[in-house]
C-alpha cells in the first residue's frame, strides 16, 4: 500500500468514527451544570488506577468548579479518534496507539502525563481449545482476532515476528474485546490477543501462548498511559496537576491497600472483588516515584526513557507497515508532559 493511499484510508476512517464520537459526546454532558466548564475524560475497562479515581469520585471532589464527564471507549484507536475530533481532554490509552497518535498522519496534539500500568500477564495471546494450536508458530493459516491499533495488536505482531511467522500468512481480524469473545464462543476464530477482563473469559476455554510480560522481556514492552490534550495542558496546567495527584493517589492505594483498590475496580468492571484482585496481580503498577524516574516519564526538563520506548514502537509499526513512517525521537520527547515533576505527584 502506498503512503498516500494509507493516509487517505486512515483519515477517512478517523472522520467516519469521529462523527459517531461526536454523537456520543453530546450525550455525556446531559444533566451537567451549564454554569461550570466540563472536563472530558476517556476511560477503558481494564484494571487500573484510572478506574479507582472514577469509582471513588476523587476528581469530582478535587475539582468542584468543573463538571467531570467520563466516557467509556473500547480501544486506544477509538480514544485517538476522539482526540482527533476534539471531543476529550484526558484519555487512558495504550503505548502503541500513542506511538501511532504522535506519528503521521494523525499527529495528535497530546502529551503523555502518567503511566497507568506496564503490561504483564494482563494482556496475552490465547488459542481456543480444539484448534491444535500449541505455539505462536502454529498460527499460520489461522484466524486470529485483536483490536487493531492497540497494544495487543502491537504485541501480536511482535510475537509473530519473534516466532518467524509472516503476518500475511495469518488471517488477522480486527475485533474489540467483547466482539472477539462472542466470535470465540461461536467458533469463528482460533485465537485472540487481548486484555483483561475479556482475557480471563477466553482463558476458561483456551491456552495461553504468550503474554505481554514475555514480549516485554524480549524487548517490546507495552504500557497503558494517561494522556492530556496539548492545548488543555497549556491552558489549564493546574487541572493537569490535580489529575496527576489523584492518579498517583490511586497507584498508592493499589500498593498499600490492594483490597480497597480491588473493591473500587470490581464496582467499575461489574465483577467480584476476588476477580478484580486476581486481575490486579497480573499487571505491573509503578509507584509515583518510579514514574518520575529517568526510566519512565522523567522529571521537569529531563524527559525519561519512555520517549525512546514510544519511538521504538513507532519504528516497529512502520516496519510492519502499520504507519507510513516513524517520526524522529524528538517528537516523542516533546510528547512527554513532565512539568512540575516529581513534585506534581506529591501527596497533598
Amino acid at each position: 500500500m502506498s503512503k498516500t493511499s494509507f493516509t487517505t484510508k486512515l483519515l477517512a476512517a478517523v472522520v467516519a468514527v469521529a462523527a459517531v464520537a461526536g454523537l456520543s459526546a453530546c450525550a455525556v454532558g446531559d444533566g451537567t451544570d451549564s454554569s461550570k466548564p466540563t472536563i472530558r475524560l476517556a476511560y477503558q475497562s481494564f484494571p487500573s488506577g484510572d478506574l479507582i479515581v472514577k469509582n471513588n469520585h476523587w476528581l469530582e471532589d478535587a475539582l468542584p468548579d468543573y463538571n467531570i464527564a467520563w466516557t467509556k471507549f473500547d480501544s486506544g484507536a477509538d480514544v485517538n479518534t476522539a482526540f482527533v475530533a476534539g471531543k476529550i481532554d484526558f484519555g487512558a490509552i495504550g503505548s502503541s496507539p500513542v506511538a501511532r497518535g504522535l506519528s503521521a498522519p494523525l499527529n495528535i496534539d497530546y502529551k503523555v502525563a502518567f503511566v497507568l500500568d506496564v503490561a504483564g500477564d494482563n494482556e496475552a495471546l490465547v488459542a481456543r481449545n480444539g484448534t491444535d494450536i500449541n505455539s505462536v508458530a502454529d498460527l499460520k493459516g489461522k484466524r486470529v482476532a485483536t483490536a487493531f491499533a492497540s497494544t495487543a495488536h502491537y504485541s501480536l505482531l511482535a510475537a509473530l515476528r519473534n516466532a518467524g511467522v509472516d503476518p500475511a500468512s495469518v488471517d488477522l481480524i480486527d475485533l474489540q474485546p467483547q466482539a472477539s469473545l462472542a466470535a470465540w464462543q461461536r467458533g469463528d476464530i482460533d485465537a485472540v490477543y487481548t486484555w483483561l477482563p475479556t482475557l480471563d473469559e477466553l482463558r476458561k476455554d483456551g491456552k495461553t501462548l504468550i503474554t505481554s510480560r514475555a514480549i516485554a522481556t524480549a524487548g517490546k514492552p507495552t504500557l497503558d498511559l494517561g494522556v492530556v490534550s496539548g492545548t488543555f495542558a497549556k491552558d489549564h496546567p493546574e487541572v493537569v496537576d490535580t489529575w496527576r495527584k489523584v492518579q498517583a493517589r490511586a497507584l498508592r492505594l493499589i500498593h498499600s491497600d490492594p483490597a480497597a483498590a480491588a473493591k473500587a475496580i470490581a464496582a467499575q468492571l461489574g465483577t467480584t472483588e476476588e476477580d478484580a484482585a486476581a486481575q490486579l496481580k497480573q499487571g505491573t503498577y509503578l509507584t509515583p516515584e518510579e514514574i518520575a524516574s529517568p526510566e519512565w516519564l522523567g522529571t521537569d526538563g529531563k524527559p525519561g526513557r519512555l520517549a525512546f520506548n514510544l519511538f521504538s514502537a513507532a519504528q516497529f509499526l512502520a516496519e510492519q507497515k502499520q504507519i507510513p513512517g516513524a517520526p524522529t525521537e524528538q517528537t516523542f520527547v516533546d510528547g512527554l508532559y513532565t512539568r512540575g515533576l516529581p513534585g506534581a505527584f506529591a501527596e497533598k
Side-chain angles (χ1 to χ4, degrees), residues 9 61 98 142-143 151 155-156 229 258 271 325:
K9 290 184 178 180
D61 293 342
V98 169
K142 301 294 185 179
R143 294 170 60 83
T151 53
S155 295
L156 173 59
S229 157
T271 188

Side-chain angles (χ1 to χ4, degrees), residues 112-116 118 223 225 244-245 247-248 251-252 255 285-307 336-347:
V112 178
F114 206 76
V115 178
L116 298 173
V118 180
L223 309 91
L225 305 171
R244 291 191 296 187
K245 285 183 185 299
Q247 291 290 348
L251 280 185
R252 291 189 180 97
H255 288 282
Y285 300 89
L286 305 174
T287 65
E289 292 73 25
E290 287 173 326
I291 293 175
S293 73
E295 182 66 21
W296 300 106
L297 198 53
T299 57
D300 199 344
K302 295 182 179 179
R305 278 186 56 80
L306 177 56
L336 301 189
Y337 187 80
T338 59
R339 178 187 179 276
L341 291 182
F345 287 166
E347 297 182 75

Side-chain angles (χ1 to χ4, degrees), residues 6-7 44 59 98 104 109 139 145 158 168 186 230 237 255 294 296 301 320 335:
F6 183 101
T7 302
Q44 296 191 57
L59 199 57
V98 169
D109 177 26
L139 293 178
R186 292 192 304 267
H255 288 282
W296 300 106
Q320 298 296 313

Side-chain angles (χ1 to χ4, degrees), residues 210-289:
I210 195 168
T211 69
S212 291
R213 187 186 304 279
I215 293 173
T217 301
K220 297 294 180 187
T222 53
L223 309 91
D224 290 314
L225 305 171
V227 299
V228 58
S229 157
T231 299
F232 188 94
K234 180 180 178 181
D235 294 343
H236 305 285
E238 75 289 347
V239 173
V240 180
D241 284 349
T242 299
W243 174 82
R244 291 191 296 187
K245 285 183 185 299
V246 295
Q247 291 290 348
R249 179 183 176 187
L251 280 185
R252 291 189 180 97
L253 186 69
I254 290 173
H255 288 282
S256 66
D257 193 347
K263 181 177 181 180
I265 290 173
Q268 289 298 307
L269 295 180
T271 188
T272 66
E273 293 177 29
E274 291 76 15
D275 282 347
Q279 291 180 24
L280 276 173
K281 291 178 181 178
Q282 296 181 58
T284 299
Y285 300 89
L286 305 174
T287 65
E289 292 73 25

